[in-house]
Amino acid sequence: MARVAMVTGAAHGIGADASVRLAEHGMDVAVLGADEAAHADTVRRITETGRRCVFVAADVADAGSVDRALARVHSELGDPEVLLTCVGAVDRGPLGELSDQDWAEAVGGPLRGVFVTSRAVVDPMIKNGGGRILALADVAGGGRPAAARNSVVETGLAGFVRTIAKELRPFGITANVVAPEPAGTDLTATATAGGSAYAAGALDAVRFLAGAEASAVSGQIVHVAMTA
């Protein structure tokens, strides 16, 4: 039986490409999101690899919604062995102009989505003897106005995966982040359209970290260099 990956943030760009890359390496893929039409091309590309794919409507920041989505993934594909959350940068403007809601969306939203989805897959992964929890992050910020908020997200992701990596190591579950270095790039830039060297390297990192050969790699922030 094929391994199953559950992916969030895969409507377009590098998130979509990462989903397809996992399918190309033999995984069936469940794509979670709020808008089925926005994910139609991703689903098509995955099915064209010969792997099974299902879109599941879900609010990844809502625990009940994620639990219901996970139940459907289990029913249609099986328990996910890989969770990939694709986290994009959110720019709400200069610090002095940020409202409380802006901050919650820029920082709290991405981190909560990673927390809720990661928590949901722990029990099935433990039951099945292991798994991979991955975040693909475009949050380094570089010189963009949102750099401060994006740095908070990246730091939060780093602390989260390092903490759960220690907790989950005895169960054969790894947790890692793939992030750009030294400057952020647009998560909508794909490896195939635009020739992004970061995107191509990030996809290779995701594939490696999702595989059996990365069983000893956990709690790491894998920085993929931006090159011309």
Side-chain angles (χ1 to χ4, degrees):
M1 181 177 292
R3 301 170 71 206
V4 176
M6 190 169 81
V7 185
T8 73
H12 49 67
I14 196 171
D17 286 351
S19 301
V20 175
R21 180 64 64 90
L22 294 177
E24 289 172 343
H25 283 80
M27 296 185 197
D28 294 334
V29 181
V31 179
L32 273 59
D35 185 349
E36 184 170 7
H39 291 78
D41 188 61
T42 302
V43 172
R44 175 191 60 78
R45 292 173 61 197
I46 292 171
T47 56
E48 286 178 352
T49 69
R51 303 311 317 175
R52 295 184 297 164
C53 180
V54 58
F55 170 82
V56 183
D59 176 357
V60 299
D62 181 84
S65 180
V66 170
D67 287 343
R68 290 188 293 272
L70 185 61
R72 183 177 166 197
V73 174
H74 170 80
S75 175
E76 298 199 22
L77 298 179
D79 288 330
E81 185 177 336
V82 175
L83 170 67
L84 173 63
T85 54
C86 302
V87 180
V90 179
D91 189 351
R92 291 290 187 268
L95 179 62
E97 299 176 8
L98 286 178
S99 66
D100 290 350
Q101 183 63 31
D102 290 333
W103 179 263
E105 291 177 358
V107 176
L111 292 177
R112 177 164 176 78
V114 174
F115 160 68
V116 170
T117 53
S118 298
R119 181 180 61 183
V121 300
V122 166
D123 283 348
M125 285 183 177
I126 291 175
K127 179 186 71 176
N128 293 311
R132 303 282 183 267
I133 295 174
L134 303 173
L136 176 56
D138 175 36
V139 295
R144 294 179 296 186
R149 274 80 72 202
N150 297 337
S151 295
V152 170
V153 174
E154 184 177 22
T155 301
L157 287 173
F160 180 68
V161 300
R162 286 171 180 154
T163 299
I164 67 171
K166 293 178 180 179
E167 176 184 339
L168 300 176
R169 183 176 293 125
F171 304 105
I173 301 171
T174 65
N176 295 286
V177 175
V178 176
E181 182 188 281
T185 187
D186 187 351
L187 199 70
T188 63
T190 70
T192 54
S196 167
Y198 163 71
L203 296 183
D204 287 340
V206 167
R207 184 216 58 79
F208 169 73
L209 291 170
E213 63 269 36
S215 60
V217 181
S218 194
Q220 302 302 307
I221 313 303
V222 180
H223 290 284
V224 180
M226 295 284 290
T227 57

